[in-house]
Amino acid sequence: MNKIALDIVTPNGSVYSEQNAELVVLQTESGEMGVMAGHIPTVAPLKIGAVRVTRSGNDKDFVAVTEGFAEIRPEKVTVLVQAAEQATEIDVERAKASLLRAEERINEEQAAHVDFHRAERALHRALNRLEVAKYR
């Protein structure tokens, strides 16, 4: 089976790199997208979600990512996001604390100083990190 390279990059540098992926599954704004070697060139906006990488022998890696973009070429996928964490590196207690903070902000009554859009995004990021952490 042909292989495709994947690089997940944040402003701080590369977070994940795989040269021999068989399948990369992305969470795009228009739905889930599977990418294999030879895919047509595409740029896709990503939403908060997991990037799933299948390597030979059905080994899988999971990476939690924030919003961003994926540049897809026939031989390589480059994911550009603000933040990304491999499942094995997620601090579950920290993610739970982030979830509680976000829930508290959303539930504050009549709080004029609360940016609900920002709180909702924080909530989704925390939930995503907790979901991806299950695949350690």
Side-chain angles (χ1 to χ4, degrees):
M1 178 175 267
N2 291 336
K3 306 293 182 176
I4 190 165
L6 169 66
D7 198 16
I8 300 176
V9 182
T10 70
N12 296 325
S14 181
V15 172
Y16 180 89
S17 185
E18 174 61 53
Q19 298 304 310
N20 295 305
E22 291 181 355
L23 174 66
V24 177
V25 179
L26 306 165
Q27 305 302 314
T28 72
E29 290 290 335
S30 58
E32 193 170 81
M33 172 188 268
V35 179
M36 298 174 80
H39 196 284
I40 62 170
T42 307
V43 173
L46 301 177
K47 63 183 183 178
I48 295 170
V51 175
R52 295 191 318 259
V53 184
T54 303
R55 295 177 281 128
S56 61
N58 241 1
D59 286 340
K60 292 186 182 177
D61 289 333
F62 293 82
V63 182
V65 298
T66 60
E67 300 100 336
F69 291 91
E71 177 192 20
I72 301 163
R73 293 180 300 197
E75 72 286 346
K76 184 175 183 180
V77 177
T78 303
V79 173
L80 305 168
V81 291
Q82 283 297 312
E85 288 179 277
Q86 292 185 51
T88 55
E89 296 176 357
I90 293 174
D91 182 340
V92 174
E93 294 307 313
R94 186 170 160 245
K96 287 179 181 177
S98 296
L99 177 64
L100 288 174
R101 278 193 312 277
E103 287 174 337
E104 288 171 0
R105 285 189 197 115
I106 289 172
N107 293 326
E108 286 180 14
E109 290 185 34
Q110 305 295 323
H113 66 280
V114 173
D115 181 345
F116 286 101
H117 180 68
R118 184 175 172 197
E120 283 181 333
R121 286 184 32 232
L123 177 75
H124 290 293
R125 284 192 306 270
L127 288 170
N128 181 51
R129 290 174 65 222
L130 289 170
E131 182 64 28
V132 171
K134 293 178 184 177
Y135 298 102
R136 298 172 143 217

